[in-house]
């Protein structure tokens, strides 16, 4: 059910193609949009363009992209004319009642915001975002695998490392395509569920012995799981698609040294399915925004 945003002023700051679909959806719900970093965006209309410093003082909520900022506070903004920095000056200008939504906040931003009393709401970890985003992520990862292998997914030995929100979706889609899917997890409940779903369950403790049979390895664990010891056992013709957040869960340098093709695949929803990804944001954000705004004014 969509929540009405009539009379609410939102700043949408940077991002990628998904914002081009997200913004019109917010407008349909009645929100007034201040856009930061959309000067070069095609077909975006009805927004007020301004700088980040100006925007923070004229809106009810701030929406930063799913992938947050880089370590210097630079906001990725595909359609911006210039750099956008979420720096101390901007943080100091944010009024106390204005919530800051961001996919993933770096530790430095979290601690600065806490010190300054700014409400930061991280959305990438919310189940409703992560589960829905797992659909374009899984499709995008499989697309990358298809483009980088000489075999079909059907009949391939595909390993999914980590059975969380993304891992389960990937495993299910791969199985539907006829792959021999091995699900690698560390919890007994996940291994049991993998068996129930017709996957080959493997505990992470046994990864080193098992990984040699993989044609395609999809990693979703955000820690270095594919380290030098494990990579030594990977077939030189295998392909690794690493979906885990930057820097991924693969020792990429070592993989390259061994001649194994290993690809980091960040931000897949915005790349492979920006319209769907934008609509996912439009489905999830309005109730979150309303909850934050009403809680604060009570
Ligand atoms: P999730 O639901 O938390 O799943 C992560 C899985 O990794 C869990 O099953 C967890 O197992 C396992 N895990 C974590 N640390 C581990 C370790 N040290 N050893 C073994 N297993 C470990 O997260 P998610 O939503 O699926 O996202 C997974 C990653 O993909 C994140 O980094 C996320 O940012 C990224 N992501 C990327 C894209 C993209 O476009 N590339 C899209 C979506 C998500 P336990 O339950 O046992 O802890």
């Amino acid at each position: 059910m969509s929540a009405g945003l009539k009379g609410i002023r939102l700043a949408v700051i940077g991002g990628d193609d998904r914002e081009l679909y997200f913004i019109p959806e917010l407008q349909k719900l009645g929100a007034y949009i201040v856009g930061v970093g959309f000067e070069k965006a095609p077909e975006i209309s009805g927004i007020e363009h301004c700088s980040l410093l100006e925007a923070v003082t004229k809106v009810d909520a701030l929406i930063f992209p799913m992938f947050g900022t880089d370590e210097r506070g630079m906001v990725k903004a595909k359609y911006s004319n210039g750099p956008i920095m979420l720096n101390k000056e901007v943080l100091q200008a944010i009024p106390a009642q204005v919530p800051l939504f961001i996919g993933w906040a770096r530790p430095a931003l979290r601690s600065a915001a806490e010190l300054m009393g700014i409400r930061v709401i991280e959305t990438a970890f919310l189940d409703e975002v992560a589960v829905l985003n797992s659909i374009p992520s899984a499709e995008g990862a499989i697309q990358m695998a298809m483009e980088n292998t000489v075999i079909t997914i059907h009949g391939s030995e595909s390993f999914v490392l980590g059975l969380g929100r993304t891992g389960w979706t990937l495993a299910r889609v791969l199985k539907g395509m006829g792959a021999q899917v091995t699900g690698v997890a560390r919890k007994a409940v996940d291994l049991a569920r993998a068996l129930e779903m017709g996957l080959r369950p493997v505990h992470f403790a046994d990864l080193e012995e098992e990984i040699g049979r993989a044609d395609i390895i999809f990693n979703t664990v955000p820690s270095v799981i594919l380290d030098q010891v494990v990579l030594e056992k990977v077939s030189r013709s295998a392909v690794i698609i690493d979906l885990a957040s930057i820097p991924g869960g693969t020792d990429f340098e070592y993989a390259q040294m061994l001649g194994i093709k290993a690809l980091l695949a960040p931000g897949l929803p915005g790349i492979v399915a920006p319209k769907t990804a934008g609509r996912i944001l439009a489905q999830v954000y309005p109730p979150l925004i309303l909850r934050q705004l009403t809680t604060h004014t009570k």
Side-chain angles (χ1 to χ4, degrees):
M1 216 27 217
S2 36
L5 296 174
K6 203 164 184 327
I8 295 176
R9 300 169 68 92
L10 301 172
V12 179
I13 301 133
D16 54 22
D17 288 320
R18 74 189 104 180
E19 275 72 16
L20 305 185
Y21 296 94
F22 180 32
I23 288 173
E25 296 294 326
L26 293 173
Q27 289 171 322
K28 274 189 218 161
L29 293 172
Y32 179 84
I33 304 295
V34 173
V36 180
F38 290 95
E39 302 84 4
K40 294 192 287 184
E43 295 158 26
I44 275 281
S45 61
I47 69 169
E48 176 184 341
H49 295 274
C50 71
S51 72
L52 180 53
L53 198 53
E54 281 176 273
V56 299
T57 58
K58 53 165 79 174
V59 295
D60 301 302
L62 301 162
I63 303 175
F64 283 87
M66 289 304 284
F67 31 68
T69 67
D70 72 9
E71 60 286 345
R72 293 165 303 150
M74 174 100 78
V75 181
K76 185 175 167 192
K78 183 172 176 183
Y79 294 105
S80 178
N81 266 341
I84 300 171
M85 295 298 292
L86 178 53
N87 55 23
K88 200 173 164 194
E89 189 188 6
V90 171
L91 288 171
Q92 279 169 340
I94 299 175
Q97 76 278 8
V98 174
L100 186 162
F101 293 89
I102 190 164
W104 177 72
R106 288 185 176 269
L109 171 59
R110 273 185 223 141
S111 44
E114 200 179 327
L115 273 176
M116 295 181 192
I118 299 164
R119 275 179 296 153
V120 173
I121 299 103
E122 290 183 73
T123 54
F125 305 112
L126 300 175
D127 279 339
E128 59 266 47
V129 175
V131 172
L132 292 176
N133 262 342
S134 74
I135 303 165
S137 304
E139 288 189 14
I142 292 168
Q143 179 183 328
M144 279 183 81
M146 290 166 92
E147 286 167 358
N148 285 283
T149 50
V150 288
I151 56 170
T152 54
I153 297 291
H154 185 278
S156 69
E157 284 284 350
S158 287
F159 274 50
V160 178
L161 312 186
L163 294 173
R165 293 164 299 191
T166 309
W168 283 124
T169 306
L170 245 176
R172 190 176 300 113
V173 178
L174 287 165
K175 181 149 175 55
M177 293 177 78
Q180 305 295 324
V181 185
T182 297
V184 187
R186 58 183 176 182
K187 283 190 189 141
V189 62
D190 290 332
L191 295 168
R193 179 61 69 193
L195 184 75
E196 178 274 326
M197 281 175 60
L199 315 179
R200 215 173 128 260
V202 164
H203 194 284
F204 268 110
D206 301 322
L207 185 60
E208 203 186 318
E209 291 97 82
E210 296 286 340
I211 197 80
R213 62 193 287 164
D215 298 312
I216 310 170
I217 301 163
F218 297 92
N219 177 55
T220 72
V221 176
S223 319
V224 183
I225 288 295
L226 293 165
D227 58 14
Q228 298 192 0
V229 175
V230 175
L231 285 173
E232 288 285 354
K233 301 287 166 59
V234 171
S235 159
R236 300 302 181 258
S237 62
V239 171
I240 298 169
I241 309 291
D242 197 333
L243 287 90
S245 49
I246 291 168
T250 307
D251 184 335
F252 285 98
E253 223 170 277
Y254 201 69
Q256 191 181 17
M257 211 190 80
L258 294 175
I260 300 166
K261 195 185 266 187
L263 306 164
L264 186 60
L268 287 169
I271 298 168
V272 301
K275 187 170 182 176
T276 303
R279 285 185 170 166
I280 290 170
L281 297 181
Q283 183 180 334
V284 173
Y285 270 71
L288 289 178
I289 293 166
L290 287 174
R291 204 175 308 144
Q292 282 300 322
L293 296 184
T294 48
T295 310
H296 193 75
T297 49
K298 265 182 191 168

